[in-house]
Structures are given as C-alpha cells and as structure tokens.
Amino acid sequence: MRWRAGRLRLGTRLALGLGALSLAVFAVVGTALTAYMRDYLEQQLATQLKLVQTVQAKDAAAHGTVERKPYYGWYTAVYDVADGEVRLRRPADVPEDTRAFAALARTMARSDTELVRTARIDGEGTYRLRGCEVRPGVVLVSAAPVTDVEETVERLITVQVVVFALALAALVAFGRRMLRRGLEPLSDMARTAHGIASHDLTESAARLPLRADGRDGGREVAELRTAFNTMLEHIDDSLAVRAEAEQRLRRFVADASHELRTPLMSVRGYADLFRYAAANAPGERERHLARLRAEAARMGALLDDLLLLARLDAAEARAPLRATRTDVVELVRQAADAFRAGHPDRPLTVLAGSGPLLLRLDPDRIRQVLDNLLTNAAVHTPPGTPVSVTVRTGPGAVLIRVADEGPGIPEEHREHVFDRFYRVDRARSRDRGGSGLGLSVARSLVGAHGGTVELTGGPGGTVFTVRLPLGGRGAAPG
C-alpha cells in the first residue's frame, strides 16, 4: 500500500491527504453536533416530562388516580408502597411490562428527591421514567418514550453522513484540480529537468536552452523557479568555462607541440648536416654547432616559459618568486640599457624619478617582465620606432608604462594578446615573432606579485601598463 501511494502524483496525494484531514474534521464536528443534539432533546424531554408530571401529581392527589389522559405513547401509574411492597392502583394506563415502574416506585418510597431513569420495556422500547411522591406511601410514576429522540438523532446522523460525504467528494475533486493547477509550474520544472538530463553536456560549448517558464504558482513556487533558473545559469556559465578551458587546452597543446616540433626538427636537420659536414667538410663544423646550440637554447627557453606558466597556474605563485628589497627605478634602467645594446636602431626614453623607489619583489622576474615588454615593442614595430618607459607612483601602486609609437594593435586582437601562443600577425616568422608566450609570462608574473598588466592605446601606438601594489601578495613596500 505504501508502494502504491508512493507512485501517486503529488497533487493526488495532497488531495487525498486533504480529504483524510477533512474526514477527521467532519467526524469530530458530526460527533459533537450529534452529542449536543441528543443532550438537547433529552433535556427537552425531561422538562416536558416534569411539567406533565406536575399536573398529573395534582390529579392523582385529588382523585387517587390520574384521570387526565397522557400524550400518545406515554404511560402513567400510581403505586401504593408499604413495607417494601408496591401495589398498582386501578385504573392505570400502563404497558404489560410494569417491572420498571414498580422498581422505580419502590426506590422512590425510600428517597427524598425525585428520581429519573431510562429503562427498556418489553414490547414497547426505551422509555424515560420519572417518579415523584404524591403523599407518603403514594408514588406517581410517569414514562415518556425516547423513540422520537432516537429517530431524530438517527436522521441527523444520516443527513450528516450524506452531506459530509458529498462535501468530502467535492472537496477532493475540486481540491485535486486546484492543486494540479497550482503544481503545474512544478511539473514544468520537472519537464525542464528531464530535458536537461537528456541534453548532451559533453558537447563543446554546451548550453542549456531550457528554462522553467514564468507561469505564476504562488510566492513559494516563484522563489523555487527563480532558484531553479539561477542554478541553470550557473550550470551554463560552468559549462561555458569548461568548454572554453578545454578549447584553450587543446589549442595550447597543439601550439606547444608545434612550437617544440620546429626546433626539434631543426636540431635533427642540423645534426644530419653536422654528421655529413664533419665527414666531408670539417670547416663547416663550427657553423653547424652554433646553429645546433641556438636551436637548443630556443627550445630550452620555450620549455622554461611553459614550466613557469604551469607552476603559476598550479597555485604555486610563491614558489618561483624570491622577493627582496629592490629599487624599481634601477631595475628599469638596467632593462633599458640591455634593450639599447640589443636594439641600437630604436631610440629608447626612460622617464623616472631621481630617487630610488623601493619595493619588495623578485627582481629577476620583474626584469623578465620588462624585457618581454620591451622585446615585444621591438619585434612588432618597424626599425627607428621610438620606445619609452615611464615609472611613477599612483594610488597604492607603482606604475611602469612601456609605450611605442608603432602601428598599434588592431581592436579585434587586443583581448587576445595575453593568450598563450597568440600572434597578432600569424604570418610572421617564429624566429622574428617569438613563441607567443612573452605577454602571457609577463601577465602571470605580475599577477604572482599581486599586480596587473593592462593594454591601452589605439592606432599609431601601443601602451602596456604594469601595476605593482605598494602592499600586496608579493610586492609590499621595502
């Protein structure tokens, strides 16, 4: 039975529960009403019996017996009681079975108060008997049938059963319909949930187009609908993030494999050339060895950058940092001197304060950031393009601004310049364009210090701004 009830729909179960509760209420109300009506009718009968017996007692005192005829179905008897013996005076309007009358008269002779009893009389039914003393030794016993009271109570019970049954059936039927309408939004949510369960969440960039509709179902249902749709939005966002992460991972693995494949093939090719050159043309050995070392160094630098990014992504931001008290202005000047030595054809201007600017940071990593930004300016601008580096303090941070007056970065590429292996000009050779990791490494290293790197500027110039906090994760003031 419990298994069958568990298979019923919620609306039906609620309607049945409401019906059971209503049935209990109807039973209590019916019982109380029936008991009240019974008591009321019995009290009315007792009052009527008392009034009638008062008149009969006067009649019995005057004539010895009751000459006034009682109501139809009522009985009256006058008894003489002496030494425990009772004798019925004649004429008397009594049934054939007078045992209850005689017993009440015998008891009444020994009592100082009027007595009332309910007795069963053979062949007649149930009667209410009342006795009173007319004078010493003479007792009047009057009897009134309670059949009318019982019939009235039975009719009341029948009416209650019929009315309550109809009311219960109507309540269950209309209540089930109203509950089904009220719970329809929950059914919509269930259908939405089934649709989501059948949706292929393994698809790339999977989205959940299903939503619970906005049909009203009350405040609680509206809150549940809002929470349900909010949960779906979070799931959508999580799926989008996962899909984007998977796409980036696949692109990263493909780009990394391609980047590593190029120097490896170069090393293999120069190794073959070196083998033949060493056997046939010993004079070219040094040239081929130099190219082998260059390719190996390029591959080593690429692997170092990948390892550094992996460590930073794995929440090991503090592991690659060795923070010391460092003068940021001096660090910028050193990076500028190295840039001038490597790119004498590009004028570089350094604007910084005259005094030192001390911060607690990793000088090697920040120097790597500056070198990457300056190299990026040299690689992506034509020869002779002016480059400038500005150091100043801002609200709670030190700002390092690296700017060039080159062609700038198109608008559609700006949000991707910090992505790994991303190139604005994909036709550019890797020897000249780099591996596409420089800006990613710069952003990750600055982020490990608690700072940010921002790209600004429009056509005709590019500006990278490094913000290092005065008090932060890895760059507190020295």
Side-chain angles (χ1 to χ4, degrees):
M1 185 67 181
R2 182 178 302 176
W3 176 81
R4 292 182 180 178
R7 293 177 63 95
L8 296 177
R9 295 184 65 86
L10 178 60
T12 303
R13 292 164 61 186
L14 290 176
L16 292 177
L18 179 62
L21 180 61
S22 301
L23 181 62
V25 173
F26 290 161
V28 172
V29 172
T31 301
L33 183 60
T34 301
Y36 172 78
M37 182 59 68
R38 182 187 296 275
D39 291 341
Y40 174 78
L41 293 177
E42 289 179 351
Q43 289 178 4
Q44 290 293 105
L45 180 63
T47 301
Q48 188 177 8
L49 184 61
K50 181 178 180 181
L51 293 176
V52 170
Q53 196 175 49
T54 300
V55 176
Q56 290 176 344
K58 292 179 181 180
D59 193 10
H63 302 93
T65 60
V66 178
E67 296 182 355
R68 186 186 299 271
K69 293 296 182 183
Y71 295 120
Y72 177 78
W74 290 44
Y75 296 106
T76 302
V78 179
Y79 285 90
D80 292 316
V81 182
D83 299 329
E85 297 292 333
V86 295
R87 182 177 60 85
L88 177 64
R89 291 184 180 183
R90 299 287 181 176
D93 189 5
V94 295
E96 295 181 1
D97 182 12
T98 59
R99 289 174 297 176
F101 290 78
L104 181 60
R106 186 179 295 107
T107 304
M108 187 65 204
R110 297 190 299 268
S111 176
D112 296 333
T113 60
E114 298 174 350
L115 298 179
V116 178
R117 289 181 179 177
T118 300
R120 178 76 181 177
I121 299 177
D122 293 341
E124 298 294 335
T126 304
Y127 275 73
R128 177 65 59 86
L129 280 66
R130 190 176 190 277
C132 68
E133 190 176 37
V134 177
R135 60 175 178 266
V138 179
V139 176
L140 172 64
V141 177
S142 302
V146 297
T147 305
D148 293 340
V149 175
E150 296 294 337
E151 290 179 353
T152 303
V153 172
E154 289 177 359
R155 291 177 183 175
L156 177 62
I157 293 175
T158 302
V159 171
Q160 288 179 350
V161 169
V162 173
V163 173
F164 286 167
L166 293 177
L168 182 62
L171 181 64
V172 171
F174 288 102
R176 183 171 180 269
R177 180 176 299 178
M178 294 179 63
L179 286 172
R180 288 185 64 180
R181 291 186 60 184
L183 296 175
E184 188 64 26
L186 298 182
S187 299
D188 293 341
M189 294 183 206
R191 286 190 289 270
T192 302
H194 286 301
I196 294 172
S198 61
H199 191 72
D200 187 5
L201 300 181
T202 61
E203 297 178 358
S204 179
R207 298 289 294 178
L208 299 176
L210 301 174
R211 291 292 185 275
D213 62 19
R215 291 197 298 174
D216 188 21
R219 181 176 178 180
E220 292 78 6
V221 175
E223 293 177 354
L224 178 60
R225 184 189 303 112
T226 301
F228 187 78
N229 289 336
T230 302
M231 179 191 68
L232 294 182
E233 291 294 337
H234 286 310
I235 293 176
D236 272 346
D237 295 339
S238 300
L239 290 176
V241 171
R242 187 192 70 176
E244 183 181 358
E246 290 177 352
Q247 186 177 2
R248 290 178 60 187
L249 178 60
R250 286 193 292 266
R251 185 171 60 247
F252 176 78
V253 171
D255 290 340
S257 300
H258 187 65
E259 294 292 340
L260 291 173
R261 180 174 178 271
T262 300
L264 283 174
M265 292 187 65
S266 299
V267 169
R268 179 184 297 175
Y270 285 122
D272 291 338
L273 289 174
F274 176 76
R275 183 178 61 182
Y276 291 115
N280 302 322
E284 297 184 3
R285 182 178 58 183
E286 293 297 328
R287 183 169 64 88
H288 292 312
L289 282 175
R291 297 300 296 270
L292 282 172
R293 283 193 296 269
E295 291 297 332
R298 178 186 171 191
M299 187 166 55
L302 177 61
L303 290 174
D304 289 340
D305 288 341
L306 290 175
L307 178 60
L308 177 61
L309 289 172
R311 295 176 64 188
L312 293 173
D313 289 344
E316 298 178 1
R318 285 192 173 275
L321 298 183
R322 295 180 176 84
T324 59
R325 186 182 178 89
T326 305
D327 183 3
V328 178
V329 175
E330 180 62 25
L331 200 63
V332 169
R333 295 187 186 279
Q334 293 176 6
D337 292 340
F339 178 81
R340 292 190 183 99
H343 305 86
D345 57 337
R346 301 176 189 276
L348 175 63
T349 303
V350 178
L351 301 176
S354 58
L357 183 57
L358 300 178
L359 288 180
R360 184 171 180 80
L361 48 78
D362 189 331
D364 295 333
R365 297 305 184 184
I366 298 300
R367 171 64 186 275
Q368 184 178 356
V369 171
L370 297 174
D371 291 340
N372 287 349
L373 295 178
L374 289 172
T375 301
N376 184 77
V379 169
H380 297 287
T381 58
T385 301
V387 180
S388 64
V389 181
T390 304
V391 182
R392 64 182 180 87
T393 57
V398 173
L399 304 179
I400 304 175
R401 181 174 176 269
V402 179
D404 65 66
E405 299 179 9
I409 299 176
E411 183 69 28
E412 64 272 15
H413 296 287
R414 291 184 181 178
E415 60 178 335
H416 300 291
V417 294
F418 292 103
D419 294 345
R420 299 170 188 182
F421 297 112
Y422 186 83
R423 291 184 178 84
V424 175
D425 184 6
R426 296 190 178 274
R428 186 185 300 274
S429 66
R430 299 180 184 274
D431 292 335
R432 186 170 182 269
S435 64
L437 291 176
L439 293 180
S440 298
V441 171
R443 184 179 62 175
S444 298
L445 288 176
V446 174
H449 285 80
T452 59
V453 180
E454 298 177 356
L455 170 62
T456 57
T462 302
V463 179
F464 288 96
T465 302
V466 177
R467 181 184 298 270
L468 296 174
L470 294 176
R473 187 188 311 166

